Amino acid sequence: MPPPRGRFVAAAVEITGRSVLQMGQGLWRVARNQQLQQEGYSEQGYLTREQNRRMAASNISNTNHRKQVQGGIDIYHLLKARKSKEQEGFINLEMLPPELSFTILSYLNATDLCLASCVWQDLANDELLWQGLCKSTWGHCSIYNKNPPLGFSFRKLYMQLDEGSLTFNANPDEGVNYFMSKGILDDSPKEIAKFIFCTRTLNWKKLRIYLDERRDVLDDLVTLHNFRNQFLPNALREFFRHIHAPEERGEYLETLITKFSHRFCACNPDLMRELGLSPDAVYVLCYSLILLSIDLTSPHVKNKMSKREFIRNTRRAAQNISEDFVGHLYDNIYLIGHVAA
């Protein structure tokens, strides 16, 4: 251990060394700043230029990324150039090309389009937008094929169609009468059937009651289906998507299957001759498919019908049907599910 005097000397040398080092670093900074000032820079300016260079490189990279994402069309700069400082973060559709504005508004539903009309009245009230909303929801109306009356607008027509649909879902007869009173539908079973076929906003329970009462409309509705080149179970599923089957067996279900059988044979005459099927045979197959669907999908049936049992039972009712064809029917129900779900 060094004596006290030696410790004091060592501490003084250490302090002196630190002071000399700090002084040398200070003198180096002074000399460096003088050199940079002679070259037209300052330490602050140098750091600022370096920071600006890095930010510019980052912006170029982000711009190239946007161009790659947008397929080479720099929509970002187009929108940014049209923004004012007061509208930062808010896109004014009136500043965009009309085609782009209408494309954006075409994705809105009726409620949102009404709200948009409070801001962009000329754009959101455009007839083409409301015409698209009407025809996408109600695919067929008699008024579409007529010369529009004075003061006609598709926005007003949309409100009437929506009100008429709500009325139909409460009382089908009153709903149809409402459409006729407004000139939307003609008083014709064929026109009513086309309207029902192309509309998805009608309550299926009320529709089933209406079709049970209006068999003339039901006949025209069945003829609108095209089952050409469709496999029998798939055609039956499509039929029951438009005309819902009753929950219980009865005269109405028999009527539906009978009408479907005749329509299916009319759409596939070559197939019927090849398989040797008649409307009566198709009627039997449809009932077999419905019973099989219930058997395979119901949780209350524990002992499910096997493929061999289905083939045996079906061929017993319709002897002219080939075993392979009946086997394909079973496979379709087993894999896809109920025909009248």
Side-chain angles (χ1 to χ4, degrees):
M1 181 176 180
R5 180 180 177 84
R7 290 201 300 271
F8 292 148
V9 173
V13 171
E14 183 178 359
I15 293 173
T16 303
R18 290 178 181 175
S19 301
V20 172
L21 179 60
Q22 293 175 357
M23 184 181 297
Q25 291 176 348
L27 292 175
W28 181 87
R29 290 194 187 95
V30 172
R32 180 59 177 168
N33 288 337
Q34 291 178 353
Q35 181 182 0
L36 293 175
Q37 289 175 1
Q38 291 176 359
E39 295 176 357
Y41 295 90
S42 65
E43 185 174 8
Q44 184 71 22
Y46 176 78
L47 295 176
T48 302
R49 286 175 61 87
E50 181 67 17
Q51 184 178 7
N52 291 338
R53 185 185 66 80
R54 294 179 180 177
M55 291 178 62
S58 176
N59 290 336
I60 293 174
S61 176
N62 292 335
T63 301
N64 293 334
H65 176 70
R66 292 191 194 99
K67 289 183 178 180
Q68 292 176 358
V69 171
Q70 298 168 359
I73 302 176
D74 198 354
I75 301 297
Y76 172 80
H77 280 81
L78 174 63
L79 300 179
K80 188 175 181 180
R82 294 178 181 271
K83 289 180 183 179
S84 62
K85 292 183 179 180
E86 295 79 14
Q87 295 173 328
E88 190 68 28
F90 181 78
I91 300 176
N92 186 359
L93 295 182
E94 293 179 347
M95 301 297 293
L96 299 177
E99 297 82 0
L100 183 57
S101 300
F102 287 130
T103 302
I104 294 173
L105 293 175
S106 66
Y107 288 98
L108 302 181
N109 56 30
T111 303
D112 294 336
L113 195 57
C114 288
L115 295 175
S117 65
C118 299
V119 182
W120 304 289
Q121 185 173 2
D122 294 336
L123 290 174
N125 288 331
D126 187 83
E127 281 292 279
L128 291 177
L129 291 175
W130 287 99
Q131 180 181 359
L133 280 176
C134 289
K135 293 189 175 182
S136 63
T137 308
W138 300 274
H140 175 82
C141 294
S142 303
I143 198 172
Y144 292 161
N145 302 320
K146 298 179 180 179
N147 293 326
L150 185 64
F152 173 83
S153 72
F154 277 99
R155 178 173 180 173
K156 180 180 178 181
L157 177 62
Y158 184 96
M159 304 305 174
Q160 293 175 343
L161 285 168
D162 187 57
E163 182 177 353
S165 298
L166 293 175
T167 305
F168 184 96
N169 293 337
N171 189 313
D173 291 327
E174 292 183 3
V176 173
N177 292 334
Y178 175 87
F179 289 131
M180 293 179 182
S181 66
K182 299 297 182 180
I184 297 174
L185 280 181
D186 292 340
D187 189 4
S188 166
K190 187 174 183 179
E191 286 295 306
I192 299 175
K194 288 182 179 180
F195 175 79
I196 293 174
F197 185 79
C198 300
T199 302
R200 297 293 177 267
T201 59
L202 304 179
N203 182 276
W204 64 271
K205 292 184 178 180
K206 297 294 184 179
L207 182 59
R208 186 175 61 193
I209 297 174
Y210 180 78
L211 293 176
D212 191 14
E213 297 175 352
R214 292 290 303 269
R215 297 298 176 92
D216 54 344
V217 176
L218 178 61
D219 291 338
D220 289 316
L221 184 58
V222 172
T223 58
L224 293 175
H225 291 81
N226 183 11
F227 302 124
R228 184 172 179 81
N229 296 329
Q230 291 192 30
F231 194 37
L232 180 60
N234 298 334
L236 195 58
R237 288 190 186 92
E238 179 182 341
F239 180 76
F240 283 132
R241 273 197 294 267
H242 288 93
I243 307 173
H244 291 270
E247 298 176 355
E248 298 179 356
R249 300 182 192 179
E251 186 268 339
Y252 181 56
L253 178 60
E254 294 178 0
T255 300
L256 290 181
I257 298 178
T258 300
K259 292 182 181 298
F260 169 81
S261 302
H262 284 84
R263 182 58 183 169
F264 185 81
C265 292
C267 293
N268 300 279
D270 297 335
L271 179 63
M272 296 300 101
R273 286 193 297 267
E274 179 182 350
L275 297 177
L277 296 178
S278 63
D280 292 337
V282 175
Y283 178 91
V284 173
L285 291 177
C286 290
Y287 251 115
S288 298
L289 290 172
I290 293 175
L291 295 177
L292 177 64
S293 300
I294 297 174
D295 185 275
L296 294 182
T297 59
S298 175
H300 303 292
V301 179
K302 296 183 178 180
N303 297 323
K304 305 296 184 182
M305 184 183 299
S306 66
K307 185 175 182 179
R308 182 177 299 177
E309 291 174 339
F310 177 74
I311 294 174
R312 184 181 64 250
N313 296 337
T314 303
R315 295 194 67 194
R316 185 181 302 169
Q319 299 178 359
N320 295 330
I321 304 175
S322 67
E323 182 176 342
D324 292 339
F325 181 76
V326 179
H328 292 322
L329 296 178
Y330 182 94
D331 294 338
N332 184 280
I333 304 300
Y334 183 83
L335 295 174
I336 299 179
H338 207 302
V339 293

